[in-house]
């Protein structure tokens, strides 16, 4: 399966992120706490419904929602959308939007 694009909304440090160009080799480079691991977590959540910070059933996903400097959630949910050569996978975290 080839990942073509990734869209992340309100997941940890990614309030709105769009990534493309995954068809070839992809390398994530950045400073500590810049969101590199969250990109991998977003892919994992899209494909499996779980990622780092959730249990095997996907519980505690509400803790993955982006927060402000005081730790208050910026939204009620998060969304991860992955476009692959086999179609589109879109998964929304807890909440009603």
């Amino acid at each position: 399966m080839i990942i073509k694009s990734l869209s992340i909304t309100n997941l940890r440090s990614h309030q709105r992120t769009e990534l493309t160009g995954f068809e070839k080799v992809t390398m994530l480079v950045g400073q500590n706490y810049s969101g590199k691991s969250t990109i991998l977590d977003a892919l994992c959540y899209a494909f499996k419904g779980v990622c780092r910070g959730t249990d095997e059933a996907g519980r505690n996903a509400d803790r993955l929602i982006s927060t402000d400097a005081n730790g208050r959630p910026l939204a009620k949910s998060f969304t991860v959308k992955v476009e692959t050569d086999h179609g589109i996978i879109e998964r929304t975290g807890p909440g009603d939007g």
Side-chain angles (χ1 to χ4, degrees), residues 77-91:
S77 65
F78 63 86
T79 302
V80 177
K81 181 178 178 181
V82 180
E83 181 184 356
T84 74
D85 58 338
H86 293 279
I88 295 175
I89 300 166
E90 187 168 355
R91 196 179 294 261

Side-chain angles (χ1 to χ4, degrees), residues 17-72:
T17 301
E18 301 277 339
L19 299 171
T20 59
F22 287 97
E23 292 88 356
K24 305 265 183 196
V25 175
T26 300
M27 182 170 53
L28 302 173
V29 178
Q31 296 180 339
N32 290 343
Y33 301 102
S34 62
K36 302 177 302 289
S37 295
T38 299
I39 291 169
L40 299 177
D41 288 336
L43 290 168
C44 188
Y45 194 84
F47 290 117
K48 297 173 54 179
V50 297
C51 68
R52 200 171 41 107
T54 66
D55 66 9
E56 299 81 21
R59 289 184 290 262
N60 298 323
D62 58 319
R63 297 180 185 165
L64 304 177
I65 298 171
S66 297
T67 58
D68 65 14
N70 296 315
R72 292 184 294 251

